[in-house]
Amino acid sequence: MSRYNFKEIEEFSQERWKKAKIYKTPENPEKKFYLLEMFAYPSGDMHIGHTRNYVIGDTVWRYKKMQGYDLLHPFGWDAFGLPAEQAAIKRGESPKKWTYGNIATSRNTLKRLQISYDWDREIITAEPEYYRWNQWLFLKLFEKGLVYRKKSFVNWCDSCKTVLANEQVIGGECWRCGTSVRKKEMEQWFIRITAYAERLLNDIDKLEGWPENVKIMQRNWIGRSEGAEIDFYTEDGYKLPVFTTRPDTLFGVTFISIAPEHPYARGIDKEEVKKYIDNALMMSEIERQSEEREKTGVPTGKFAIHPFTGEKIEIWVADYVLASYGTGIVMGVPAHDQRDFEFAKKYNIPIKVVIMPPDQGLSPDTMEMAYEGHGMMVNSAQFNGLDSELGKKKVIEALEKVGKGRGKVTYRLRDWLISRQRYWGTPIPVVHCEKCGIVPVPEEQLPVLLPPEEEVNFIPTGRSPLEDARDFYHTKCPKCGGPAHRDADTMDTFVDSSWYHLRYFDPHNDKEIFSKEEARKWHPIDLYIGGVEHATGHLIYFRFMTKFLYDLGYLDSDEPALALFNQGMVMDEKGEVMSKSKENVVSPIGLIERVGVDATRIAILFAAPPERDLLWSEKGVKGAERFLSRIYNHFMPYIDKKNPEPDKKDPLYRGIEKTKKIVTEDLEHMRFNTGIAALMEMLNQITAYPSRDSETYVYVIQEFTKILAPFAPHLAEFLYAKFGEKQSIFLEAWPSYHEDAVKEEIVTVVVQVNGKVRARLEIERNTSEEEVIKSALSHENVKRHIDGKEIRKTIYIKNKILNIVAR
């Protein structure tokens, strides 16, 4: 069997596609489909893991194109950010040179793979034409009160020497380098994403085409809690507001714990407290919250006053309390919260029972753990005897009446910290004027350009490198004209990716972020493809920014994507994730040079369902080569007949019609591996067929070629041209199948009861055993012979006999 010349076939097919301009986005879509894979971070050339993502999208594109959809399928580069800057520093290069070199290499790889992108719509986020609109968005958010600057404790990576957003701290470590993250106090810019928390949470219900696990992760990350905010006051009048979901336990408070970052805690002039706070701030939040770690704290010597009883309550600083949750202050109710119980036991703090479980007594002297359930309120003054659920409402009402508390909803979601102390990012478009304060740069002065690289020292020092670029940093105030300086921080790269999907509508527009008319044509994304690791980072940010632009009137819908698909990872043959650091990556360029684009695609798509992790194997590559070679060798001698008329009674005809049905259904549900398996099975029927000069054979191989096209586009295009077709196969309609031909043949199943024939069922071949038993038990003669008996077991021989044993 000769091996087909994939290089010749690729050149031929790609030339046809180029002439037909099949990847060009139509200007006025009638049947629109916006297909998008998450854009690439250009950290080097792509490996087979990246390739899998783009091949999945391309397979969908080719199928949808043949279904007659007008497609928008763009691509771009997430070009700013810390990884590029770190890599450039390591190599002694500038971030721009390093990044743009990687973009050129990766773009060439994608073009070699013939991924169906409209390159006329390419975006690069490091271009001023793009980041100008990051700055515009910042100004719009600022106008709406959704951007603010404040001094606060932030996540700090000592290795990268920059601030990280909460979503960029994974398991207490930097998402980029793995260094433990600590807290550091700095003045930073925040986007008030919490103003959208309720909408982001409620609208998850709209995301019907999103995976359930992603929706659960987002609900948990946003983390809505309903309860009360209670005002405790210190003896010297300092207000300590506490959020709790259990106001019914208020009378059980025996101490108050404050987060080490809290201003009140840091204002206590006591050496023991100061030392404890310093040590606590060196730990990550993950360490501080660990269930396995013993809770620690230090008494401050200060007291708060109970809002109802007037009792003095000791104030502690405790590292298990986080400033990022609630108000950073926790009321300690040891009888009814396990963390508080352990803390109280360790430090001999009183325990007071205020919720009595149903049908059970509870004593502080004998408790071995906290009772966290509901019950009847006791030791709670006027609330005694109330069910604790009702008690929550009554306590809130009483607090509101005396002005010492209120009902409140809070969220786990924190505001989005976007300041970065690095060079390679979007400059923040404000100036700082001694006279006028913070002044936004006027829109007509955008973009605020990054200074030339030669004016900046990229080596991280913990302060923003832009401060040392004198011509950039020193400027005039847009308001008063006096001396001022620019903000020296750059924006988090997640700002770039929060709205990039919208810029593709109108990537060359220099008048506005995008045309509303173009947005109406294409928004929202019909299918978004990318990794599940972005569930609580990018996927929340881009939902937020879509809602914000909807509120500004730029969009007609406030969710970015109708459907989301999470592809699996690609592992090496040992089961380890591919990465350059492990030196176990497979280069797509090396692979396509050796076996061709189509064999690479088939190997990727056939190895595993696209949502599952894929174990890369050279055996899969060889199998893909053999599959394509068999198609080429068996089809090429029989390509010269036009419009063949098949014999519809021929089993081969029935085989191709069934295969069309299976492949169509598998493509609809992105079951690419089983679709290819069906093609392989059909190919076996084709190669075993004796009458290759018949019109049925020619019809079958031509129909096979069409349904092969999304998986192996070059070979399919080549064969289709050899059939004498002048237009691209992807301008052909996706083949329909004949219902009569795909109906399963009828078989007779004999039904026996205790070994004697009692019925014969006429059913479709391969009907499930469950359905056969159900049909048999509903048959009148069978029912008569099992009436009053117990069915002990059933024995089914597929498509032949069902024996029912009844006693």
Side-chain angles (χ1 to χ4, degrees):
M1 185 180 290
S2 63
R3 180 181 170 187
Y4 76 106
N5 187 336
F6 63 81
K7 290 187 177 179
E8 178 186 307
I9 289 169
E10 285 171 13
E11 287 175 11
F12 176 88
S13 298
Q14 289 176 20
E15 185 60 30
R16 277 185 44 114
W17 297 334
K18 185 178 178 181
K19 285 181 179 176
K21 298 181 179 179
I22 65 167
Y23 304 146
K24 183 74 176 170
T25 307
E27 289 187 15
N28 296 299
E30 294 180 9
K31 187 181 177 184
K32 81 98 175 172
F33 195 92
Y34 183 7
L35 172 66
L36 189 64
E37 296 91 58
M38 293 180 185
F39 63 175
Y41 196 92
S43 57
D45 197 8
M46 297 174 182
H47 60 64
I48 208 72
H50 305 113
T51 305
R52 185 190 195 194
N53 192 27
Y54 307 131
V55 166
I56 288 169
D58 184 75
T59 304
V60 173
W61 184 92
R62 293 179 186 278
Y63 172 58
K64 292 293 180 185
K65 183 72 173 175
M66 293 178 76
Q67 283 189 310
Y69 283 94
D70 297 314
L71 287 116
L72 169 61
H73 192 208
F75 199 72
W77 309 95
D78 194 10
F80 267 148
L82 182 61
E85 192 171 307
Q86 295 281 72
I89 291 166
K90 187 177 178 181
R91 290 163 176 78
E93 294 183 18
S94 77
K96 185 172 184 177
K97 181 179 177 183
W98 165 253
T99 300
Y100 279 73
N102 288 333
I103 287 173
T105 301
S106 297
R107 184 193 292 120
N108 179 61
T109 298
L110 289 171
K111 288 186 174 182
R112 287 288 305 280
L113 285 163
Q114 274 298 294
I115 306 298
S116 47
Y117 296 130
D118 180 354
W119 289 104
D120 291 342
R121 293 182 181 243
E122 180 184 27
I123 59 172
I124 300 174
T125 61
E127 290 290 320
E129 292 77 13
Y130 184 89
Y131 71 73
R132 165 190 180 179
W133 300 107
N134 282 350
Q135 295 171 341
W136 179 87
L137 279 168
F138 181 98
L139 297 180
K140 292 299 176 188
L141 289 160
F142 190 88
E143 285 174 17
K144 301 294 183 182
L146 294 171
V147 167
Y148 63 94
R149 193 169 188 252
K150 74 167 184 177
K151 202 170 190 179
S152 69
F153 277 87
V154 295
N155 303 309
W156 179 263
C157 175
D158 283 311
S159 175
C160 297
K161 289 187 169 56
T162 192
V163 167
L164 303 172
N166 287 345
E167 291 80 2
Q168 293 164 327
V169 180
I170 312 297
E173 297 178 346
C174 173
W175 70 287
R176 174 60 192 163
C177 70
T179 300
S180 290
V181 172
R182 65 182 177 91
K183 290 293 183 181
K184 183 175 180 178
E185 191 174 32
M186 298 179 72
E187 197 157 27
Q188 301 287 285
W189 286 101
F190 293 83
I191 292 177
R192 205 183 303 275
I193 193 173
T194 52
Y196 281 67
E198 191 76 10
R199 282 172 67 185
L200 286 167
L201 182 65
N202 292 340
D203 289 353
I204 291 173
D205 292 337
K206 293 182 183 178
L207 306 177
E208 294 179 5
W210 286 42
E212 196 58 37
N213 64 318
V214 172
K215 294 192 279 187
I216 290 169
M217 290 164 77
Q218 290 209 352
R219 285 191 183 99
N220 292 339
W221 187 260
I222 296 166
R224 187 182 192 274
S225 296
E226 194 169 334
E229 188 174 76
I230 303 171
D231 297 333
F232 289 82
Y233 286 86
T234 64
E235 292 177 292
D236 53 0
Y238 191 101
K239 185 165 80 169
L240 298 175
V242 173
F243 175 78
T244 178
T245 59
R246 293 296 302 271
D248 53 312
T249 66
L250 177 56
F251 286 85
V253 176
T254 57
F255 68 98
I256 282 178
S257 294
I258 300 183
E261 302 94 328
H262 196 280
Y264 182 79
R266 290 184 291 112
I268 294 172
D269 190 16
K270 192 175 179 181
E271 193 59 36
E272 186 184 2
V273 174
K274 290 177 183 285
K275 186 177 178 182
Y276 179 85
I277 289 172
D278 288 343
N279 289 335
L281 294 181
M282 292 302 293
M283 292 189 291
S284 70
E285 289 190 357
I286 295 292
E287 286 179 272
R288 285 166 57 183
Q289 285 191 298
S290 172
E291 293 295 327
E292 297 171 6
R293 182 178 164 274
E294 195 175 58
K295 311 295 181 287
T296 69
V298 62
T300 65
K302 305 281 187 179
F303 293 86
I305 307 301
H306 193 285
F308 283 146
T309 68
E311 292 175 87
K312 290 170 66 174
I313 301 167
E314 191 173 19
I315 299 172
W316 290 66
V317 176
D319 57 14
Y320 71 87
V321 183
L322 303 179
S324 60
Y325 180 77
T327 62
I329 309 168
V330 171
M331 64 183 206
V333 186
H336 304 293
D337 182 278
Q338 187 60 29
R339 286 184 317 170
D340 297 345
F341 181 82
E342 293 167 10
F343 192 84
K345 282 288 189 182
K346 179 175 180 178
Y347 293 109
N348 296 313
I349 298 171
I351 297 172
K352 185 178 177 183
V353 173
V354 293
I355 304 293
M356 196 62 71
D359 306 319
Q360 181 187 343
L362 208 61
S363 168
D365 300 327
T366 58
M367 291 177 73
E368 295 183 1
M369 61 187 297
Y371 173 69
E372 296 181 328
H374 292 281
M376 183 177 72
M377 293 179 70
V378 296
N379 301 319
S380 299
Q382 70 267 36
F383 304 102
N384 284 341
L386 286 179
D387 175 81
S388 56
E389 284 292 343
L390 176 61
K392 289 180 184 180
K393 297 176 183 175
K394 293 298 183 183
V395 170
I396 291 171
E397 288 172 8
L399 286 166
E400 290 175 342
K401 193 171 182 179
V402 297
K404 291 185 178 178
R406 62 218 58 87
K408 188 169 183 179
V409 173
T410 191
Y411 299 90
R412 182 179 180 272
L413 180 70
R414 300 290 88 194
D415 281 338
W416 178 8
L417 194 163
I418 62 165
S419 297
R420 297 293 178 271
Q421 293 68 47
R422 304 302 291 241
Y423 167 75
W424 192 235
T426 300
I428 291 174
V430 301
V431 300
H432 299 267
C433 173
E434 286 188 17
K435 182 179 175 183
C436 306
I438 293 174
V439 181
V441 172
E443 281 184 34
E444 60 271 16
Q445 292 182 20
L446 299 181
V448 176
L449 296 171
L450 273 177
E453 292 173 310
E454 57 271 17
E455 295 179 14
V456 179
N457 177 16
F458 308 124
I459 307 299
T461 61
R463 68 196 288 263
S464 299
L466 296 185
E467 288 184 36
D468 300 324
R470 294 186 60 83
D471 291 343
F472 170 86
Y473 188 65
H474 297 286
T475 187
K476 290 182 178 180
C477 173
K479 198 170 183 180
C480 71
H485 69 81
R486 295 193 186 280
D487 199 283
D489 286 350
T490 51
M491 291 187 205
D492 177 15
T493 186
F494 279 96
V495 175
D496 305 0
S497 58
S498 68
W499 68 278
Y500 80 107
H501 59 294
L502 304 170
R503 185 64 176 172
Y504 285 131
F505 301 151
D506 207 7
H508 308 297
N509 192 331
D510 61 356
K511 299 288 189 293
E512 54 188 337
I513 189 166
F514 54 82
S515 152
K516 295 175 186 177
E517 183 183 348
E518 290 301 309
R520 272 191 286 274
K521 292 178 185 177
W522 295 108
H523 192 258
I525 300 165
D526 291 278
L527 177 61
Y528 195 36
I529 301 172
V532 71
E533 66 272 16
H534 299 291
T536 58
H538 160 66
L539 290 174
I540 283 182
Y541 296 144
F542 106 131
R543 288 185 62 218
F544 160 74
M545 202 62 82
T546 300
K547 289 181 183 299
F548 178 65
L549 284 161
Y550 169 83
D551 291 348
L552 291 184
Y554 277 82
L555 299 169
D556 291 340
S557 57
D558 68 348
E559 284 293 341
L562 297 177
L564 172 71
F565 183 84
N566 297 138
Q567 85 284 356
M569 306 283 282
V570 176
M571 315 289 190
D572 66 13
E573 293 190 1
K574 296 177 183 177
E576 294 186 0
V577 176
M578 288 189 182
S579 70
K580 289 173 189 171
S581 62
K582 294 179 183 175
E583 298 182 346
N584 64 346
V585 299
V586 174
S587 164
I589 286 291
L591 199 58
I592 63 178
E593 287 288 346
R594 182 161 56 90
V595 302
V597 176
D598 285 358
T600 300
R601 291 171 65 101
I602 294 291
I604 288 170
L605 295 171
F606 184 59
E611 70 277 9
R612 300 276 182 85
D613 291 345
L614 182 159
L615 199 65
W616 185 254
S617 168
E618 190 62 30
K619 290 180 183 176
V621 176
K622 290 176 181 174
E625 282 187 281
R626 284 195 300 271
F627 173 58
L628 296 173
S629 293
R630 287 178 70 206
I631 293 170
Y632 178 82
N633 284 300
H634 281 91
F635 286 21
M636 279 298 288
Y638 306 99
I639 57 175
D640 54 355
K641 291 189 178 178
K642 293 284 284 182
N643 303 318
E645 283 293 329
D647 176 359
K648 294 184 179 180
K649 295 178 182 178
D650 194 309
L652 191 67
Y653 172 79
R654 289 172 59 83
I656 192 63
E657 296 306 295
K658 287 178 184 177
T659 304
K660 286 193 283 186
K661 181 178 188 289
I662 292 167
V663 172
T664 300
E665 290 172 353
D666 284 346
L667 281 166
E668 282 294 326
H669 296 94
M670 298 180 72
R671 297 189 297 251
F672 305 132
N673 58 320
T674 56
I676 293 171
L679 288 168
M680 289 177 171
E681 189 176 325
M682 186 64 219
L683 182 62
N684 290 336
Q685 291 185 50
I686 291 171
T687 56
Y689 191 73
S691 306
R692 296 185 184 172
D693 290 327
S694 73
E695 293 207 358
T696 299
Y697 184 85
V698 175
Y699 169 84
V700 167
I701 65 171
Q702 291 184 3
E703 292 296 286
F704 183 99
T705 300
K706 292 174 190 173
I707 58 176
L708 174 71
F711 307 103
H714 293 88
L715 179 56
E717 183 70 57
F718 180 82
L719 292 171
Y720 191 68
K722 295 299 180 185
F723 296 154
E725 301 293 347
K726 290 191 167 70
Q727 71 171 7
S728 168
I729 194 170
F730 295 104
L731 300 177
E732 174 69 81
W734 181 255
S736 59
Y737 52 86
H738 293 97
E739 290 288 349
D740 289 343
V742 302
K743 284 180 181 175
E744 294 288 349
E745 63 181 279
I746 302 301
V747 296
T748 301
V749 172
V750 175
V751 182
Q752 297 178 335
V753 177
N754 296 329
K756 294 185 178 180
V757 177
R758 300 301 182 190
R760 285 180 171 82
L761 303 178
E762 301 295 313
I763 60 173
E764 286 188 357
R765 178 181 290 278
N766 299 327
T767 298
S768 70
E769 181 176 349
E770 183 183 354
E771 285 297 316
V772 172
I773 293 170
K774 186 177 176 182
S775 296
L777 294 178
S778 64
H779 193 282
E780 286 301 324
N781 199 40
V782 173
K783 284 198 290 186
R784 188 180 309 118
H785 284 88
I786 63 172
D787 187 35
K789 297 176 182 177
E790 180 188 350
I791 296 174
R792 297 291 180 87
K793 65 177 178 179
T794 57
I795 303 162
Y796 179 54
I797 299 172
K798 192 174 182 180
N799 297 323
K800 292 183 179 178
I801 299 172
L802 172 66
N803 191 14
I804 300 170
V805 180
R807 294 286 183 268

